[in-house]
Amino acid sequence: MQDKFSQLVRNLPTKIIGRKICYYPLLFSTMDIAREKALNQEEEGTVVVAGHQSGGRGRKGRHWHSPEGNMSLSIICYPGEAQVTELIMCGALSVLYSIEELGINKAGIKWPNDILIDGKKVSGILVESQIVAGGVSYAVVGIGINANTGIGNLESSVILPTNLAGEKGQQVDLVRLAGEVILNFDLLYTRLKDGESLLDDWRSRLVTLGRNVTVERGSGTMKGLARDVNADGNLLVLLESGEEIVVSAGDVYLE
Ligand code: BTN
């Protein structure tokens, strides 16, 4: 498999992302290996791919089920402080565009970073970074895609899962899929590094906006209308009481 990824690197016309791809048949989590590499000043854009993960993780410490046949990768980035919040947009959009290139339509982003096809979750993005006094020392963007099997967050009983093979009616070539994701990520990340914002692109693909949602926060559950996002990407929810809340973290479910 490493050979196939090395060949992919030779064919990828990318500037920053995927100039080096490290494949491991089994890892606990690609996030840990990518973080270790980043702390050792690994080249920016290096991608860590796992055949499968035994301890894949999602947002909020949830377990991310990543059996063989699914896509588990992490990308090492060294963004500026202003760019870190948009890395999640970069990840979500690159997966969304790659899914569309497979000929699968009806995909969108559920705020902030779940990729849904027809309301079912096919992919999740996790960003972990280290901020120090002088700025961002590194950021790792983890991408999990239910490609040929498996169902992602087993704990998530609220969002039903799906996978690409089921949606497309045939197995997906994981090396090709990784190539598409890396290529799209590279284009988006280059724009980000050039000082452009991805907010409008991401906003336009949010299936959450205009929908009635349930927001789960530490303090409890609230219902309201997801009206918009602000410049920081936070969700603006108009509650039934007329009050508008700004949601920066927490789970948001479509009604
Ligand atoms: C989520 O939806 O909660 C985010 C899921 C992110 C899963 C990916 S799989 C590759 C990388 N390694 C991990 O352990 N997690 C991310």
Side-chain angles (χ1 to χ4, degrees), residues 6-252:
S6 302
Q7 195 184 340
L8 177 69
V9 170
R10 287 194 289 276
N11 294 332
L12 271 177
T14 54
K15 285 198 195 129
I16 309 173
I17 311 297
R19 300 318 316 144
K20 184 170 172 187
I21 301 180
C22 307
Y23 172 80
Y24 302 83
L26 169 64
L27 283 181
F28 184 73
S29 166
T30 55
M31 300 305 282
D32 298 338
I33 301 297
R35 182 190 58 227
E36 255 173 51
K37 286 183 182 291
L39 289 171
N40 285 310
Q41 278 83 48
E42 179 60 270
E43 192 185 327
E44 180 164 48
T46 295
V47 181
V48 175
V49 186
H52 59 123
Q53 302 181 115
S54 54
R57 58 180 175 270
R59 286 175 71 223
K60 299 175 175 273
R62 290 186 185 120
H63 177 67
W64 179 264
H65 186 59
S66 12
E68 211 149 330
N70 280 0
M71 167 135 302
S72 308
L73 61 81
S74 292
I75 303 173
I76 298 170
C77 300
Y78 302 114
E81 226 167 318
Q83 298 152 349
V84 182
T85 50
E86 297 211 3
L87 273 182
I88 204 141
M89 304 173 191
C90 199
L93 285 169
S94 57
V95 172
L96 180 68
Y97 297 158
S98 304
I99 289 176
E100 289 178 340
E101 280 152 19
L102 282 175
I104 298 172
N105 298 313
K106 301 180 290 185
I109 303 168
K110 183 177 86 63
W111 183 92
N113 62 346
D114 289 337
I115 310 300
L116 306 186
I117 299 176
D118 237 353
K120 295 184 192 154
K121 180 160 171 171
V122 70
S123 167
I125 319 293
L126 179 68
V127 178
E128 293 177 350
S129 58
Q130 187 180 65
I131 317 274
V132 288
V136 183
S137 50
Y138 72 84
V140 171
V141 183
I143 297 178
I145 306 178
N146 300 333
N148 291 317
T149 178
I151 54 169
N153 278 119
L154 289 175
E155 284 82 352
S156 175
S157 52
V158 185
I159 310 174
L160 286 172
T162 188
N163 62 60
L164 295 179
E167 296 292 335
K168 200 172 149 56
Q170 71 188 74
Q171 296 274 297
V172 170
D173 180 332
L174 289 179
V175 178
R176 224 179 122 192
L177 178 64
E180 295 298 343
V181 171
I182 291 169
L183 202 54
N184 284 312
F185 196 98
D186 185 71
L187 293 171
L188 292 159
Y189 189 61
T190 303
R191 284 172 52 194
L192 208 53
K193 283 231 146 173
D194 286 346
E196 242 189 86
S197 168
L198 303 176
L199 186 86
D200 287 344
D201 301 47
W202 173 75
R203 182 182 176 280
S204 72
R205 301 308 306 268
L206 285 175
V207 292
T208 314
L209 301 186
R211 298 280 301 270
N212 287 318
V213 293
T214 300
V215 181
E216 273 182 21
R217 292 211 281 200
S219 49
T221 298
M222 284 162 281
K223 284 183 188 297
L225 174 77
R227 202 182 55 73
D228 206 346
V229 284
N230 65 14
D232 295 324
N234 299 322
L235 190 66
L236 306 176
V237 179
L238 186 61
L239 300 181
E240 285 155 354
S241 63
E243 183 198 352
E244 185 162 274
I245 56 166
V246 180
V247 184
S248 60
D251 285 318
V252 171

